[in-house]
Amino acid sequence: IHFLSLDTHETILHYSFSEVLSTRRYRSDNGDNYLDMKLGNLMVQKIVRIETNQGSDISNLIGQYMQVINRHKKRPNDKMSLQRYH
């Protein structure tokens, strides 16, 4: 998952799908929309908060990718490398 500069389209931050624990979208009391991504593992976690009106779309897309990745992890004889998701 790459976060790009609006001006230069250069990567500012990036995270692998294996780091994503969960996402949630919410609206603040003053009407701003946010997407929280919980990253890390069971021992160490951090939350990246993104202000966006596309939180639902982004969260759904990440969820779809995670389903595909988990489906491939469950296949014992799958020859596809999971490294491409990291």
Side-chain angles (χ1 to χ4, degrees):
I1 301 169
H2 290 258
F3 297 95
L4 307 178
S5 164
L6 289 173
D7 298 327
T8 64
H9 296 140
E10 292 181 32
T11 299
I12 299 169
L13 292 171
H14 68 281
Y15 300 99
S16 69
F17 283 104
S18 63
E19 294 178 85
V20 178
L21 299 174
S22 65
T23 62
R24 82 176 175 108
R25 185 186 68 91
Y26 76 97
R27 183 178 308 226
S28 68
D29 292 339
N30 64 356
D32 294 332
N33 293 303
Y34 295 94
L35 173 71
D36 283 353
M37 289 182 14
K38 187 184 289 187
L39 306 164
N41 56 45
L42 295 175
M43 299 299 290
V44 178
Q45 300 171 4
K46 67 179 176 180
I47 294 176
V48 174
R49 178 167 291 158
I50 305 156
E51 184 177 355
T52 178
N53 289 326
Q54 296 175 317
S56 291
D57 296 331
I58 295 168
S59 182
N60 290 339
L61 185 60
I62 291 171
Q64 289 172 359
Y65 273 105
M66 298 306 293
Q67 286 178 357
V68 169
I69 292 167
N70 288 332
R71 222 177 286 139
H72 285 286
K73 283 182 180 179
K74 291 178 183 176
R75 294 182 185 168
N77 295 324
D78 192 353
K79 295 180 182 178
M80 187 174 90
S81 172
L82 291 175
Q83 291 300 318
R84 74 174 72 175
Y85 301 118
H86 298 280

